[in-house]
């Protein structure tokens, strides 16, 4: 079993397309998306249609993220930038009344909150609150939160939402550790073994990384019950950031927020 886990595409067609090309080159059987297909970026229709195309052979599941939910039901509680980007996203999706109109909205609206596959749990936010709860790297010192979260993890949990890749490890019932992508990179490998230890793995973001690395980030999972060589591998993919920035700058309702462009260049 070899599959890819992607998350937080956020209307970034350039990053999504380039990431899919990398996935194809790495002989991946299936793709699981952890949500936030929409929001922030300039290409909502293209991104939804690309995900719909994946359903023909590669897509195993596409979950609901908080931005997907907000696009459907309204962006309550979002900051001004995220709210306006979501309202614009909804207007864009509703402006195309062609044959795919209902298909797009049905796809977003029927996205599940979580997905389970044997020892694996997939969510957007956390095992406790699949859509909305953030799990940040410094939460590793919050023993109560970590204990409650890991109690809900069958063996391995994959999540997104923070846009920051890393691995939370349960070393013992009340002992937890965290390795960032940079920690793994410093060890000259971006793999982490899947053993008997419980893990929560943040796969990072395809369309809006926030770990000061502008490259798209996703995870490949290699797993076989009969093998001892099981692992996750973080992949970073360079894409045409300038093209996405230009698309944002060409959209009047997005270019009033320069931070939307700047954060892509800086990876934050």
């Amino acid at each position: 079993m070899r599959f890819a886990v992607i998350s937080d595409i956020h209307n970034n067609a350039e990053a999504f397309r380039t990431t899919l090309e990398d996935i194809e080159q790495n002989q991946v059987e299936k793709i699981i998306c952890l949500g936030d297909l929409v929001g922030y970026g300039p290409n909502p229709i293209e991104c939804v249609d690309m995900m719909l195309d994946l359903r023909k052979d590669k897509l195993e599941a596409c979950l609901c993220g908080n931005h997907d939910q907000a696009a459907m039901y309204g962006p309550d509680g979002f900051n001004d930038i995220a709210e306006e980007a979501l309202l614009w996203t909804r207007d864009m999706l509703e402006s195309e009344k062609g044959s795919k109109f209902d298909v797009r909205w049905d796809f977003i609206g029927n996205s599940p909150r979580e997905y389970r596959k044997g020892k694996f749990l997939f969510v957007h936010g956390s095992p406790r609150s699949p859509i909305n709860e953030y799990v940040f790297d410094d939460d590793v010192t919050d023993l109560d939160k970590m204990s409650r979260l890991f109690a809900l993890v069958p063996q391995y949990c994959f999540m997104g939402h923070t846009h920051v890749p890393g691995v939370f490890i349960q070393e013992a019932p009340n002992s937890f550790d965290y390795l960032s992508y940079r920690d793994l990179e410093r060890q000259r490998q971006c793999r982490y073994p899947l053993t008997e230890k419980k893990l929560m793995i943040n796969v990072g973001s395809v369309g809006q990384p926030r770990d000061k690395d502008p490259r798209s980030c996703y995870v490949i999972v290699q797993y076989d019950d009969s093998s001892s060589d099981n692992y996750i591998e973080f992949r970073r993919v360079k894409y045409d950031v300038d093209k996405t920035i230009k698309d944002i700058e060409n959209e009047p309702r997005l270019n009033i927020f320069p931070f939307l462009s700047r954060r892509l260049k800086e990876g934050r």
Side-chain angles (χ1 to χ4, degrees):
M1 183 167 62
R2 184 173 172 83
F3 59 94
V5 188
I6 62 176
S7 190
D8 296 278
I9 295 161
H10 284 301
N11 291 347
N12 189 335
E14 290 301 314
F16 192 14
R17 187 177 297 109
T18 308
T19 299
L20 290 178
E21 290 170 359
D22 191 76
I23 288 172
E24 187 65 30
Q25 293 168 9
N26 279 277
Q27 300 174 326
V28 166
E29 299 166 24
K30 292 292 183 179
I31 298 171
I32 295 172
C33 177
L34 304 183
D36 274 6
L37 176 57
V38 301
Y40 290 125
N43 318 116
I45 293 170
E46 294 92 325
C47 287
V48 175
D49 286 352
M50 287 164 68
M51 191 66 77
L52 286 170
D53 287 342
L54 286 176
R55 293 195 304 180
K56 298 171 185 175
D57 56 353
K58 289 282 190 183
L59 187 64
E60 182 166 340
C62 184
L63 306 186
C64 181
N66 60 314
H67 283 255
D68 306 316
Q69 185 179 68
M72 287 292 299
Y73 303 109
D76 293 335
F78 283 73
N79 64 52
D80 291 344
I81 297 175
E83 178 179 305
E84 180 58 25
L86 279 165
L87 293 173
W88 173 81
T89 292
R90 187 160 62 180
D91 288 347
M92 288 293 291
L93 290 169
E94 289 181 343
S95 70
E96 283 218 355
K97 298 290 185 180
S99 59
K100 276 194 173 181
F101 175 77
D102 290 335
V103 175
R104 292 186 185 111
W105 279 117
D106 286 346
F107 179 73
I108 296 171
N110 291 318
S111 298
R113 291 167 54 88
E114 64 177 49
Y115 180 67
R116 293 177 181 267
K117 181 186 180 79
K119 297 179 179 180
F120 298 88
L121 169 65
F122 303 88
V123 296
H124 178 69
S126 82
R128 181 168 55 181
S129 178
I131 292 179
N132 289 307
E133 184 176 25
Y134 290 96
V135 185
F136 293 106
D137 54 359
D138 56 4
D139 285 333
V140 73
T141 62
D142 186 339
L143 299 186
D144 181 64
K145 180 175 182 176
M146 287 290 104
S147 296
R148 291 175 182 271
L149 292 176
F150 270 102
L152 300 171
V153 175
Q155 187 69 50
Y156 313 114
C157 176
F158 291 84
M159 55 198 185
H161 199 30
T162 68
H163 302 206
V164 178
V167 182
F168 295 86
I169 307 133
Q170 186 174 40
E171 299 286 2
N174 289 301
S175 176
F176 307 95
D177 197 5
Y178 175 78
L179 289 172
S180 69
Y181 171 81
R182 298 240 182 246
D183 292 330
L184 294 171
E185 193 176 39
R186 277 193 289 269
Q187 297 171 13
R188 298 191 177 181
Q189 60 173 1
C190 293
R191 290 185 179 184
Y192 192 83
L194 297 178
T195 64
E196 292 305 309
K197 291 181 181 179
K198 280 190 175 185
L199 304 176
M200 291 193 300
I201 299 123
N202 194 305
V203 304
S205 171
V206 168
Q208 195 183 94
R210 294 180 185 168
D211 62 338
K212 299 181 181 179
D213 184 337
R215 295 176 297 169
S216 166
C217 188
Y218 76 99
V219 162
I220 289 176
V221 182
Q222 176 70 42
Y223 187 82
D224 186 335
D225 273 324
S226 62
S227 173
S228 59
D229 185 25
N230 297 318
Y231 59 85
I232 59 166
E233 178 184 357
F234 286 95
R235 300 281 304 171
R236 301 306 292 243
V237 184
K238 188 176 181 179
Y239 73 96
D240 192 346
V241 178
D242 292 332
K243 172 65 166 61
T244 301
I245 289 174
K246 185 176 180 181
D247 287 347
I248 291 173
E249 291 174 344
N250 287 337
E251 173 46 56
R253 285 175 63 184
L254 297 182
N255 68 19
I256 60 172
F257 303 110
F259 182 58
L260 280 176
S261 299
R262 191 166 63 247
R263 74 186 319 175
L264 293 178
K265 199 80 170 180
E266 299 171 356
R268 66 184 180 95

